[in-house]
Amino acid sequence: MTADDGSDGYAAAVTGLGLITAAGVGADATWREVTTADAPRGIRFREELRDLSCDFFYTVDGLDPQAEIGVAGARLMDRFAHLAVLAAREAVADAGLDPQSWDGDRVAVVIGSAHGGLPSYDAQAAVMAEKGARRVSPTLAPLAAVNGAAGSVCRDLPARGPSLAVTTACASGTDAIGTARALLRAGLCDVAIAGGAESVCSRLLVASACRLRAVSTRRDDPASACRPFDADRDGFVIGEGAGLLVLERPEHARARGARIRGHLVGYGASNDAYAPVAPDPDGAGIERALRTALADAGLGAADVGHVNAHGTSTVLNDVVESTVLRRVLGEHPLVTSTKAMTGHTLGAAGGIEAALTVLALEHGLVPPTANLSSLDPQVPVEIVAKQARPARFDCAVKTSLGFGGHNAALVFTRA
């Protein structure tokens, strides 16, 4: 790998992973599904979306939050917070940390979400319309706020260090991880639990996305609706999930003999300042974020062997993003999008996909881009499709783009 004089070489240790997705409950289950399944299994019709042009949703099945968290605790959380708490528990256990004995004052929690508890707002708006203001739940404001996931994780563990909610649309989870690394770098904590959580099966939100023509309308074949980089793509499909990483100061991880699964060595962020719902057609914003992340890592294009792309399955995003990847990194990295297996989990996407990027480094295996049957000729990079591809690489990148012009990139290296 090449060094860059502008980098201080700060490498946060990744010691734990937690994943709750439509592809599987738990990191191992999700990884197994995205690397071996022929088609997504978590996508299904949702009654809340009946009669919309996109009435299907990537749903986490086999999860009972009340049984896992307790009835009283679960009732004081929106579903996106349920997912965050369960992902955090897995990540912390995977890191070999014991919340009962750690110094909670030195544990930070940074969780991204685009919409927070939007379904709770929907439900209480219906209550108000039907029964009046006096019947609205007094717990709505704290339960549905975007910081609900971070606060819930802090209480559950407990963690009493810096606690932040990041909301930069679909870049939220990626920005949350980058922000957590900055806290570690500044010495404000020893451990940070970071990533994203989202659950927005909201009729109002999906109706808006349909009007925007951002989501797929393949109601006759939902399983193949999300098809990143395919010539016949027509939009993304929303899903729910949570993806959290445990990051530690490297000296803290070494001192306790932690298993290190990878290192987070670079982060970059930018804004297009172009349009609220469309990427800059030249890709200047995501290019700045990617180049900033590489410079922060002290690495060059030749060092990057794999990219877990944002890859939404929308006409504009896939071409713009892949063009920038080719311009910045050349033709050699193996590129994938895992959204056809998990759905587009909006603010959680960066956290889920960052965890999958670490697993790809660890296993030397690039997950395939599901549902890709005919590559768009305007996509100028090598997309892994059909089946997972074994490959040894020491560095991988995660990119994210979000409404509002937000862009973010993370650089990971193998442990």
Side-chain angles (χ1 to χ4, degrees):
M1 293 189 185
T2 59
D4 185 294
D5 292 338
S7 168
D8 66 4
Y10 189 82
V14 181
T15 58
L17 303 175
L19 285 169
I20 306 289
T21 74
V25 175
D28 288 344
T30 296
W31 176 251
R32 184 168 56 250
E33 188 77 359
V34 301
T35 54
T36 64
D38 295 331
R41 297 174 184 151
I43 188 167
R44 59 183 175 83
F45 167 79
R46 293 291 294 263
E47 182 63 36
E48 303 97 313
L49 310 181
R50 180 178 291 278
D51 298 327
L52 296 181
S53 57
C54 182
D55 58 4
F56 43 95
F57 187 88
Y58 282 82
T59 303
V60 176
D61 289 319
L63 198 65
D64 184 349
Q66 291 193 353
E68 296 288 340
I69 300 170
V71 174
R75 284 178 177 171
L76 293 175
M77 301 177 196
D78 186 87
R79 183 166 171 83
F80 86 113
H82 294 159
L83 301 179
V85 165
L86 296 177
R89 287 182 180 181
E90 182 190 18
V92 168
D94 183 50
L97 289 163
D98 181 4
Q100 300 307 310
S101 62
W102 69 15
D103 181 359
D105 294 352
R106 297 288 298 170
V107 178
V109 175
V110 188
I111 299 180
S113 181
H115 297 283
L118 182 59
S120 291
Y121 284 114
D122 286 353
Q124 291 303 308
V127 168
M128 186 169 180
E130 294 172 12
K131 300 179 181 180
R134 292 181 63 83
R135 299 297 297 274
V136 171
S137 171
T139 65
L140 175 63
L143 183 141
V146 174
N147 71 329
S152 296
V153 168
C154 286
R155 290 191 302 276
D156 186 72
L157 288 175
R160 298 180 297 272
S163 173
L164 303 172
V166 175
T167 181
T168 51
C170 302
S172 298
T174 304
D175 280 324
I177 293 169
T179 299
R181 175 173 171 264
L183 294 175
L184 292 163
R185 196 179 204 169
L188 298 176
C189 57
D190 296 322
V191 176
I193 299 154
E198 199 86 81
S199 181
V200 284
C201 191
S202 161
R203 184 173 181 82
L204 183 64
L205 179 69
V206 177
S208 174
C210 291
R211 292 281 294 155
L212 192 61
R213 297 183 180 178
V215 292
S216 175
T217 58
R218 283 189 170 87
R219 298 171 69 189
D220 58 334
D221 188 13
S224 68
C226 181
R227 44 179 63 211
F229 305 113
D230 193 271
D232 195 31
R233 67 192 181 280
D234 72 330
F236 59 82
V237 181
I238 299 174
E240 63 178 353
L244 297 178
L245 280 60
V246 173
L247 304 176
E248 296 185 53
R249 291 192 303 114
E251 56 269 35
H252 184 272
R254 287 194 299 268
R256 69 181 189 86
R259 176 189 61 162
I260 297 176
R261 306 193 69 161
H263 294 97
L264 173 58
V265 297
Y267 166 60
S270 70
N271 196 286
D272 290 345
Y274 172 76
V277 296
D280 178 344
D282 294 328
I286 185 59
E287 180 173 349
R288 282 193 304 275
L290 179 53
R291 291 192 185 279
T292 298
L294 289 170
D296 184 31
L299 299 174
D303 297 310
V304 180
H306 166 49
V307 179
N308 186 304
H310 193 53
T312 58
S313 185
T314 56
V315 174
L316 287 176
N317 176 92
D318 290 5
V319 172
V320 169
E321 183 182 16
S322 61
T323 299
V324 168
L325 293 177
R326 175 61 179 263
R327 191 158 68 223
V328 176
L329 301 176
E331 61 182 346
H332 66 280
L334 300 175
V335 179
T336 194
S337 169
T338 47
K339 282 186 172 65
M341 297 303 296
T342 65
H344 189 350
T345 54
L346 308 180
I352 291 168
E353 292 154 15
L356 293 174
T357 304
V358 172
L359 287 165
L361 276 164
E362 189 175 72
H363 291 279
L365 187 67
V366 178
T369 303
N371 292 333
L372 176 54
S373 59
S374 179
L375 183 67
D376 185 334
Q378 295 184 81
V379 171
V381 293
E382 185 172 0
I383 306 295
V384 175
K386 307 298 183 186
Q387 61 185 14
R389 187 179 306 181
R392 182 176 175 83
F393 43 91
D394 294 320
C395 175
V397 164
K398 169 69 206 132
T399 50
S400 294
L401 296 82
F403 282 178
H406 297 283
N407 307 286
L410 300 170
V411 181
F412 293 96
T413 55
R414 202 159 56 87

